[in-house]
Amino acid sequence: MYDGRPILPLTVSGLSYEAGGKRLLDTVSFDLAAGRRTIVMGPNGAGKTLLLRLCHGLIEPTSGRVEWRGGSAVGRHAMLFQRPVMLRRSALGNLHHALALNGLPRTEREPRARQALAHFGLEDIASQPARRLSGGEQQRLALARAWAQRPQALFLDEPTSALDPAATRAIEAMVQTCHAEGMKIVMTTHDMGQARRLADEVIFLHHGRLLEHTPAEEFFDHPRTPEAQAFIRGELLW
Amino acid sequence: MNQQNAFITALDLIASLDPVLGDIVLLSLKVTLSAVLIAAAIGLPLGAALALGRFPGRSALIVVSNALMGLPPVVAGLVVYLLLSRSGPLGFLGMLFTPGAMILAQTVLILPIVISLTRQIVEDLWAEYEEQLRSLGSSRMRAIPTLLWDGRFSLITAILAGFGRASAEVGAVLIVGGNIAGYTRTMTTAIALETSKGDLALALGLGIILLTITLLLNTGAFVAGRMAQRAAG
Ligand SMILES: Nc1ncnc2c1ncn2[C@@H]1O[C@H](COP(=O)(O)OP(=O)(O)O)[C@@H](O)[C@H]1O
Ligand SMILES: [Mg+2]
């Protein structure tokens, strides 16, 4: 269902990011293949958000490279933020705006926007002011908005950390839908249960360094590094 | 004279639908609202471009525009006077001592207010929206209409500030309009004239009318803005 040539795998090599005289990400390298759900884990301040912003192209690395297959992947990957920004217009209006930014011809926007709302059971809120929606509804709308752009890869930065359990489940279900449809999922979370439910593979960051990149079962059952072992026991908070 | 006198005079003027007064009020509104419209049409996009643009001299422009918010009306009037005077660069237009000249002077006066407040509002919005909008595929310039629309309720306040300054000033319209009875006489220039002639009751009556109109307009804008904001979230 996704348009255009494939942009995966994503190859990250020697990625470093410095700010304020500190090296916040330190020569991180990995390959991300299509299909598998990648969960990025690590204690607070490990650099998870930075890594996603770098991969999504919101900030430029100090050194190193983020390379998509076949070069440019502008507009073909999307990101869900911890707190989504909704514009002061209706839910449907927000989708229209995103599709306009995506370059979709005017006549195709309305059906595509309606399709996205229907796909996730959000038809009821179509005409409601987006900023008036609950946090959970806004995040679901943000995901529908991202989905409407038909990205091949979706980055999610702790999308449920501010949500109640019901809304968290709803977002997880939506993520599963996207995954089942072939969208690449790259998501950070500090919720161990959520990570176990969703992960096919785990990238574990600590102090800006990549310590593990392993299949989920292996990470949760036999973490190799002492840091990951402590993290899984809930003892590594920083 | 006493205040009661002034109120009675004001009420008398209104109740009798005094045609001279009516013309003065209408001209004042026409001049000020035209200036506000023109300043908004120019100042909103310019202020947003100043907020999001990246070009050399941007900081200097911001400082100048901020400083010009305090431009004394008589100075604005003088500048427009020099521009429009027979020997000035725009003298061929023959606009001096016409309502058009007054509109131009008031536009010059309030443009910096609209530009500066718009820049501040749009800059703050951009700080909040930047990553989300860029993630969705927006360039900085493409964000200008988005942010102007999303900031519409705050921007109304910026435009009302411009309206307040234009409707209250007397120096600029006096210099370029000339306070010609029945042609370029506005409420503020009439008040200045009546005060200098010693007709304080009439002057105060006009002042009360001016205040009432300003209050009504602001109330209308406030209520409309609140209702629209409630609808938009
Ligand atoms: N622009 C910046 N300037 C300085 N420090 C930053 C900047 N952005 C992030 N950091 C720091 O980098 C570290 C990693 O941040 P982040 O990626 O947000 O961590 P997390 O893994 O919790 O998402 C933190 O210590 C944060 O304070
Ligand atoms: Mg984070």
Side-chain angles (χ1 to χ4, degrees):
Chain A
M1 69 162 292
Y2 302 108
D3 305 331
R5 53 170 183 75
I7 59 168
L8 291 156
L10 166 67
T11 304
V12 168
S13 43
L15 199 66
S16 295
Y17 186 81
E18 291 170 11
K22 275 199 271 186
R23 181 158 276 223
L24 303 169
L25 270 186
D26 192 7
T27 50
V28 170
S29 302
F30 55 80
D31 283 317
L32 292 184
R36 286 200 300 272
R37 290 157 299 181
T38 306
I39 302 294
V40 180
M41 304 199 78
N44 271 325
K48 305 180 293 294
T49 299
L50 277 178
L51 180 64
L52 259 54
R53 289 165 71 214
L54 282 162
C55 290
H56 189 44
L58 290 174
I59 50 177
E60 290 296 315
T62 306
S63 59
R65 282 200 301 270
V66 172
E67 287 168 308
W68 298 91
R69 173 175 171 186
S72 166
V74 172
R76 291 163 196 265
H77 48 97
M79 180 155 168
L80 212 63
F81 298 86
Q82 213 165 347
R83 290 183 185 283
V85 176
M86 286 296 154
L87 300 177
R88 285 192 180 82
R89 28 182 120 191
S90 68
L92 188 68
N94 270 275
L95 266 68
H96 267 270
H97 179 260
L99 292 172
L101 291 181
N102 208 222
L104 197 70
R106 193 174 288 275
T107 52
E108 292 174 36
R109 288 176 206 159
E110 176 74 14
R112 178 83 71 88
R114 294 273 176 197
Q115 178 199 23
L117 291 176
H119 195 61
F120 297 109
L122 295 172
E123 303 101 319
D124 291 351
I125 63 166
S127 58
Q128 289 186 34
R131 293 206 161 216
R132 288 268 152 145
L133 299 170
S134 71
E137 285 170 327
Q138 287 197 29
Q139 194 61 290
R140 285 160 67 198
L141 180 61
L143 213 159
R145 178 172 66 182
W147 183 90
Q149 290 190 332
R150 296 197 179 158
Q152 293 179 37
L154 176 64
F155 298 101
L156 305 95
D157 188 22
E158 304 208 23
T160 62
S161 63
L163 304 185
D164 61 42
T168 298
R169 288 300 169 137
I171 292 290
E172 286 184 18
M174 291 173 80
V175 169
Q176 296 292 35
T177 300
C178 292
H179 165 64
E181 291 166 353
M183 198 185 294
K184 169 72 183 178
I185 302 293
V186 184
M187 172 167 158
T188 71
T189 180
H190 63 241
D191 176 342
M192 199 63 79
Q194 183 170 66
R196 285 179 193 269
R197 285 192 294 277
L198 294 180
D200 292 316
E201 63 174 20
V202 173
I203 285 179
F204 180 67
L205 292 180
H206 185 231
H207 289 328
R209 310 237 314 255
L210 187 153
L211 297 188
E212 307 216 11
H213 181 190
T214 40
E217 276 173 35
E218 196 179 322
F219 179 79
F220 292 118
D221 298 341
H222 311 287
R224 272 176 286 141
T225 56
E227 288 88 348
Q229 288 163 13
F231 180 74
I232 286 169
R233 286 196 306 269
E235 290 162 12
L236 190 71
L237 303 174
W238 245 214
Chain B
M1 77 107 222
N2 57 43
Q3 285 159 328
Q4 224 174 354
N5 236 341
F7 276 111
I8 291 167
T9 307
L11 289 179
D12 262 1
L13 283 168
I14 297 167
S16 64
L17 294 173
D18 185 288
V20 175
L21 173 75
D23 284 349
I24 291 178
V25 171
L26 277 183
L27 178 70
S28 301
L29 280 177
K30 187 185 114 184
V31 167
T32 298
L33 289 177
S34 303
V36 167
L37 268 178
I38 296 169
I42 301 172
L44 291 174
L46 224 60
L50 204 51
L52 295 184
R54 286 185 286 198
F55 50 89
R58 175 177 172 268
S59 306
L61 272 179
I62 290 173
V63 171
V64 167
S65 145
N66 285 346
L68 285 180
M69 283 201 289
L71 181 70
V74 283
V75 176
L78 180 61
V79 170
V80 172
Y81 182 95
L82 291 173
L83 282 175
L84 295 180
S85 69
R86 207 159 286 286
S87 54
L90 299 178
F92 66 92
L93 293 173
M95 259 175 74
L96 199 58
F97 303 129
T98 68
M102 302 198 290
I103 293 172
L104 181 60
Q106 291 204 331
T107 303
V108 168
L109 201 59
I110 61 182
L111 196 52
I113 295 186
V114 178
I115 290 177
S116 291
L117 295 182
T118 300
R119 181 199 56 80
Q120 188 63 55
I121 290 165
V122 170
E123 223 171 74
D124 290 349
L125 270 184
W126 180 241
E128 184 189 341
Y129 290 18
E130 174 178 358
E131 294 223 328
Q132 179 75 71
L133 287 182
R134 283 179 46 218
S135 169
L136 290 172
S138 181
S139 67
R140 293 174 82 91
M141 288 303 115
R142 175 62 182 80
I144 287 179
T146 304
L147 296 181
L148 283 178
W149 183 242
D150 246 57
R152 57 198 181 274
F153 304 115
S154 315
L155 291 169
I156 285 174
T157 310
I159 290 168
L160 283 178
F163 173 81
R165 181 152 156 91
S167 66
E169 74 88 21
V170 54
V173 284
L174 190 59
I175 291 180
V176 305
N179 194 26
I180 302 164
Y183 186 47
T184 60
R185 180 160 299 170
T186 66
M187 282 189 277
T188 56
T189 58
I191 289 170
L193 180 71
E194 298 306 333
T195 305
S196 69
K197 286 198 321 202
D199 194 343
L200 298 184
L202 181 55
L204 197 51
L206 280 164
I208 289 166
I209 294 173
L210 180 58
L211 264 177
T212 307
I213 289 175
T214 305
L215 200 63
L216 283 178
L217 248 162
N218 275 277
T219 307
F222 183 82
V223 170
R226 265 300 155 87
M227 274 160 51
Q229 189 157 19
R230 195 149 301 156

